[in-house]
Amino acid sequence: MFLLDITTKNLEELLHSLPEEYQSPLDIAKALDAAQAAKKHLDFIMHMNPDAMSTFRINLTKNTLSDGVSAYKNLKKLQDKNTLDGYVEDALQFFPFESEKKTFSKRFNREHLIQSFLSGYTQVSMEHHYMLTDKNQRILNTIVSMIENKATKEIEGVVYTLDVTKQTYYSRINDLIFNSTDICIVVINIKTKTFIIPQVSPAIQLSATFEPQDYSENAFSIAENFVVETDREDYLKKCSIPSIIKKLDEFGEYSFPVKGTRDGKNVILEYSYYYMDENHEQIIGKAEDITKSAQRELDLKAALTAARKANNAKSDFLSNMSHDIRTPLNAIINLANLLYEEINEPDKLRLDIQKIEIAGEFLLQLINDVLDISAIESGRIKLVPRVYTYDSFLSYIKGIIVPLCENKDIHFILDEGPTSLDIYMDRVRFHQVFFNILSNAVKYTPPGGTVTFRTTNNVVHDGVLTCDFIVTDTGCGMSQDFITHAFEPFAREDSQNAYIGTGLGLTICKRILDLMGADIKIESEIGKGTKVTVHMDLQIATEAQKEQSQAELDSSHLRLETSGNETQQRILVVEDNEINQEILARLLEKKNYEVDTADNGKEAIEKIKNHGGNYYKLVLMDIRMPVMDGLEATALIRKNPDENISRIPIVAITANAFAEDAQECLDAGMNACLAKPISPASLYSMAATYLPSKSTTSNM
């Protein structure tokens, strides 16, 4: 029966193409049966897509192309070379995009198709753009279906092309709909200037309709009822059909934001437009609520602006640092050179030494302030609350500020406020805040003026003392414009005097008070003085906190107990820098102390062990040293089984000026800290705290 469908010519061709292995009539019959089955399969594929734009039969093994059918000339023309390779080569000339050309050429390469079939794939396809005419661009899907002809052992198949342009556009609409949560889709007919609404999300109070509506009337209605008044004219211009067409022809896509109101809330919609078809007869329009994303974009822009501002502030900071460091350094270096020439002129010598001291103190204050700012901004500074009395705070104010006022002939008024209260607060930072504020008041108040420190609004409630600390002065005052910048780094209204201040004091105060949850406010007027108000909630110490504080104090005193009644006062200076060793030794020897030195912690431990526990009465221990640092050496000394050694007073001498660094020294077992550069007064005060001078001992 299968022979009925095969012509004599086809039969001859088929018999001729059969492999030599088909010898017997039965083998030939089986082969012809297989060939007929292959033909039926391919005929089915040829006719199963009646809407195909073109269909060709192919033989991959022989590289042939035949039986082409197409209603389009440039598709039918692809059969001219009668080879699959030629079909692919000629088709590429109608591809508008290079990227698609490369993919098509690789995917439909004959060797690639054969390898795909041998790997189990019977179909290979690709969607691509194709120019049917110079102005008619379509989206096609080229498909190759492959089978093996069991009779000839050859790989045959059919290549056909489907027009999927409309499906792609409708898919684009679906993407627009399903990729958005708050959206309205319209399709605009350019010729009739009407539109339909095929899709509306539930969030928008409109109804989908396929009844054409006048586009211009609807645009005016939206402008009147939705768009904010200031943007209506601009909206109507942008959404007009001529404007949309112009933008689409130029860019392919077109979108713009619209500010409006919905349900009493301000919203932002983004209107977007695309051509619906290749003939540019219809336009897809989309309105999407982008209020949240627009706000995120504004937030990102604000963050970017803040980052740029911070970067500019960093540059300004470094510039100011360079200026403020070089100015006192210039004075120190050049005045030191002048000292050689003035060695025989005591009056000039004394004045220049005083100027060097002033420049050095300014440089030290600048370094301390910069380190504080850096530590605060990097989060390194942590508040370390301790119990201390309000009376102690007042004693600190009297001891520090009163001498400053007396030196300038300034009248200082102190309102003592709520005395005899135990406060739980970071004492070091608390003192730092009010020292900066009060020292500024003294600095900018002329001789004969007045500085006042008082507390008001004192209320105790639930274990908290709420109060306002107010510092007023009769100084030069600040302009209203400067007050808005007073807490910025290096902010200085009066720059005529290079040493009037670092411009960091108020910045540090503000950052510390922020950490404490406190507020600071400045009121001032040029020529009439300044008022600074600090509002704070101070925790009153509990009984448990007081007991813990007393236990720590008792433990500290216990460490100071030493055995023996020797009158010799010998100090061990542990410092790796020879110049610093010499300076400390000379200063101590001026007060009749005996001084030994060690270059590192290991050498110090060896000297202490060799001389025994009663030899050194005090150890001045540097922190950073080679071989063994001061913290490690202190820990080993405290662990020594000989109590005379383990209880030797140890004072840290360190360039680390932060409060947390001092706490680290205390935690390691040291008794106290001296921050470099060490002034003679602080050195002598510290030595006198732990042992009397040799001259004093001899007089007892």
Side-chain angles (χ1 to χ4, degrees):
M1 293 295 297
F2 58 83
L3 293 176
L4 295 177
D5 294 328
I6 302 179
T7 63
T8 303
K9 180 180 178 182
N10 287 339
L11 180 59
E12 290 177 354
E13 291 177 354
L14 181 59
L15 290 172
H16 181 72
S17 65
L18 290 176
E20 295 179 358
E21 62 196 59
Y22 296 105
Q23 301 294 330
S24 69
L26 182 60
D27 290 338
I28 293 174
K30 289 181 178 179
L32 292 175
D33 191 16
Q36 180 71 349
K39 181 178 182 300
K40 284 185 176 181
H41 192 166
L42 293 175
D43 285 344
F44 172 76
I45 297 174
M46 287 280 288
H47 296 93
M48 75 175 183
N49 289 291
D51 295 330
M53 298 181 67
S54 66
T55 308
F56 300 94
R57 194 186 299 269
I58 59 173
N59 186 311
L60 293 168
T61 305
K62 292 183 177 180
N63 189 24
T64 59
L65 185 76
S66 60
D67 299 339
V69 177
S70 178
Y72 296 89
K73 290 182 179 180
N74 67 353
L75 285 174
K76 186 68 171 67
K77 190 178 180 181
L78 297 178
Q79 191 184 352
D80 289 351
K81 290 188 178 180
N82 297 320
T83 65
L84 178 61
D85 291 342
Y87 169 88
V88 174
E89 181 182 349
D90 287 351
L92 292 177
Q93 65 183 301
F94 300 104
F95 278 52
F97 303 115
E98 286 298 324
S99 60
E100 292 184 354
K101 280 185 180 182
K102 293 179 181 179
T103 303
F104 189 89
S105 177
K106 180 179 179 181
R107 187 170 297 180
F108 293 102
N109 175 275
R110 190 164 59 90
E111 295 299 327
H112 179 266
L113 289 173
I114 292 173
Q115 187 60 45
S116 297
F117 180 79
L118 295 176
S119 299
Y121 297 95
T122 59
Q123 192 174 86
V124 176
S125 64
M126 175 183 170
E127 285 192 8
H128 56 87
H129 292 78
Y130 194 87
M131 301 300 298
L132 286 180
T133 65
D134 290 344
K135 295 184 178 180
N136 188 1
Q137 177 179 296
R138 309 293 289 182
I139 300 175
L140 307 183
N141 187 12
T142 297
I143 303 168
V144 174
S145 291
M146 299 170 285
I147 65 169
E148 181 185 16
N149 189 323
K150 300 296 183 180
T152 63
K153 308 298 182 183
E154 295 172 350
I155 300 173
E156 300 181 28
V158 173
V159 55
Y160 56 97
T161 304
L162 302 175
D163 187 343
V164 295
T165 307
K166 288 186 178 181
Q167 296 93 311
T168 302
Y169 278 113
Y170 283 123
S171 175
R172 175 180 292 181
I173 292 177
N174 288 333
D175 287 342
L176 292 174
I177 294 172
F178 294 119
N179 289 342
S180 302
T181 57
D182 196 358
I183 193 170
C184 174
I185 298 292
V186 299
V187 177
I188 304 168
N189 189 307
I190 296 175
K191 291 182 179 179
T192 63
K193 294 181 174 54
T194 60
F195 73 97
I196 62 173
I197 307 175
Q199 182 70 38
V200 180
S201 75
I204 296 181
Q205 296 177 352
L206 290 174
S207 299
T209 177
F210 288 88
E211 185 70 27
Q213 302 178 52
D214 185 271
Y215 180 80
S216 296
E217 287 184 6
N218 182 266
F220 278 107
S221 176
I222 291 175
E224 178 102 10
N225 298 300
F226 170 77
V227 181
V228 297
E229 186 175 357
T230 55
D231 291 356
R232 288 174 186 171
E233 184 177 348
D234 183 59
Y235 162 74
L236 290 172
K237 180 180 179 181
K238 287 180 177 178
C239 75
S240 68
I241 291 178
S243 296
I244 295 172
I245 292 173
K246 181 180 179 182
K247 293 293 184 180
L248 289 180
D249 289 342
E250 187 175 357
F251 301 106
E253 295 182 3
Y254 174 45
S255 63
F256 58 87
V258 178
K259 297 178 182 178
T261 57
R262 193 172 70 199
D263 299 330
K265 297 179 180 179
N266 294 328
V267 296
I268 301 175
L269 296 188
E270 183 177 64
Y271 280 59
S272 303
Y273 300 92
Y274 316 85
Y275 275 125
M276 176 82 173
D277 58 335
E278 74 283 357
N279 294 323
H280 296 179
E281 294 177 350
Q282 297 185 91
I283 296 171
I284 305 171
K286 178 189 72 166
E288 182 178 7
D289 191 329
I290 61 167
T291 307
K292 292 182 179 179
S293 59
Q295 186 58 50
R296 285 195 296 268
E297 185 176 351
L298 289 174
D299 293 342
L300 288 173
K301 287 182 178 179
L304 179 60
T305 300
R308 287 174 176 168
K309 184 177 180 181
N311 189 55
N312 292 336
K314 180 181 178 182
S315 298
D316 293 341
F317 180 84
L318 292 174
S319 176
N320 285 322
M321 274 289 295
S322 176
H323 172 270
D324 284 14
I325 287 176
R326 290 175 183 275
T327 298
L329 276 178
N330 178 70
I332 292 170
I333 292 171
N334 287 291
L335 286 170
N337 289 329
L338 289 173
L339 293 181
Y340 291 106
E341 301 175 8
E342 299 166 352
I343 197 70
N344 295 320
E345 301 179 66
D347 292 339
K348 287 186 177 181
L349 197 64
R350 187 177 296 103
L351 288 174
D352 285 346
I353 291 173
Q354 289 176 352
K355 293 175 183 177
I356 289 175
E357 288 178 342
I358 293 172
E361 289 171 0
F362 176 85
L363 186 59
L364 175 60
Q365 185 61 48
L366 176 64
I367 292 172
N368 288 338
D369 287 349
V370 169
L371 290 176
D372 271 340
I373 288 289
S374 175
I376 293 171
E377 292 186 343
S378 64
R380 286 185 56 213
I381 283 187
K382 306 295 181 183
L383 297 179
V384 183
R386 291 286 187 272
V387 177
Y388 76 107
T389 64
Y390 192 80
D391 288 339
S392 298
F393 169 61
L394 294 177
S395 296
Y396 168 79
I397 296 299
K398 294 175 184 177
I400 296 296
I401 302 303
V402 169
L404 293 179
C405 291
E406 290 175 348
N407 289 339
K408 286 190 67 176
D409 192 24
I410 292 174
H411 180 50
F412 181 58
I413 300 174
L414 176 62
D415 175 9
E416 296 189 351
T419 60
S420 303
L421 281 176
D422 288 334
I423 306 299
Y424 192 68
M425 175 64 74
D426 188 318
R427 179 179 60 85
V428 174
R429 298 302 173 188
F430 192 68
H431 287 180
Q432 186 176 9
V433 166
F434 290 102
F435 173 77
N436 280 337
I437 296 173
L438 285 163
S439 63
N440 268 354
V442 174
K443 188 184 304 178
Y444 293 101
T445 298
T450 300
V451 172
T452 302
F453 179 64
R454 61 191 178 93
T455 61
T456 62
N457 303 321
N458 304 303
V459 178
V460 176
H461 181 69
D462 293 336
V464 174
L465 168 63
T466 299
C467 59
D468 291 333
F469 297 90
I470 300 176
V471 176
T472 58
D473 64 62
T474 58
C476 59
M478 309 178 192
S479 67
Q480 295 305 307
D481 180 63
F482 177 74
I483 289 176
T484 61
H485 303 283
F487 298 116
E488 296 175 2
F490 291 105
R492 286 173 295 198
E493 190 165 28
D494 182 5
S495 60
Q496 294 179 352
N497 186 342
Y499 300 121
I500 202 165
T502 65
L504 294 172
L506 284 177
T507 306
I508 294 170
C509 287
K510 182 67 168 64
R511 305 291 170 83
I512 293 175
L513 289 171
D514 287 343
L515 288 175
M516 293 178 172
D519 297 319
I520 182 170
K521 181 176 68 173
I522 298 176
E523 301 171 71
S524 188
E525 188 175 345
I526 293 292
K528 294 186 178 181
T530 299
K531 175 183 177 182
V532 179
T533 302
V534 176
H535 178 79
M536 302 188 77
D537 291 330
L538 300 174
Q539 182 181 341
I540 298 174
T542 64
E543 291 302 320
Q545 290 166 345
K546 293 177 184 179
E547 291 174 3
Q548 180 182 359
S549 177
Q550 187 60 47
E552 292 174 354
L553 183 62
D554 293 342
S555 175
S556 176
H557 287 325
L558 183 62
R559 290 177 182 171
L560 301 182
E561 295 177 5
T562 57
S563 61
N565 297 313
E566 295 82 354
T567 59
Q568 187 180 27
Q569 305 299 311
R570 183 173 280 103
I571 298 175
L572 177 62
V573 174
V574 188
E575 165 69 70
D576 61 313
N577 185 282
E578 292 183 6
I579 295 177
N580 285 339
Q581 274 187 9
E582 180 184 351
I583 292 172
L584 288 171
R586 287 172 62 182
L587 288 173
L588 291 169
E589 287 168 353
K590 288 172 66 67
K591 292 295 182 180
N592 298 319
Y593 293 112
E594 300 289 337
V595 180
D596 283 352
T597 60
D599 295 332
N600 55 68
K602 183 180 179 181
E603 184 179 334
I605 291 175
E606 291 173 353
K607 286 193 173 186
I608 292 172
K609 287 182 178 179
N610 291 338
H611 291 291
N614 294 325
Y615 191 72
Y616 297 113
K617 304 304 180 185
L618 176 65
V619 177
L620 299 180
M621 181 79 74
D622 191 17
I623 298 301
R624 293 189 180 183
M625 295 180 292
V627 184
M628 182 183 292
D629 64 36
L631 297 177
E632 184 181 357
T634 299
L636 291 174
I637 292 171
R638 294 298 181 224
K639 293 178 182 178
N640 194 289
D642 185 345
E643 289 190 1
N644 291 327
I645 292 179
S646 65
R647 293 186 176 184
I648 294 176
I650 302 175
V651 174
I653 47 176
T654 175
N656 299 330
F658 296 127
E660 55 268 31
D661 297 319
Q663 187 61 43
E664 184 181 20
C665 296
L666 297 177
D667 292 341
M670 294 181 173
N671 299 89
C673 292
L674 281 173
K676 296 178 182 177
I678 301 170
S679 69
S682 61
L683 177 64
Y684 296 147
S685 176
M686 185 65 72
T689 300
Y690 294 101
L691 67 170
S693 66
K694 188 172 181 179
S695 58
T696 303
T697 304
S698 61
N699 293 331
M700 293 177 61

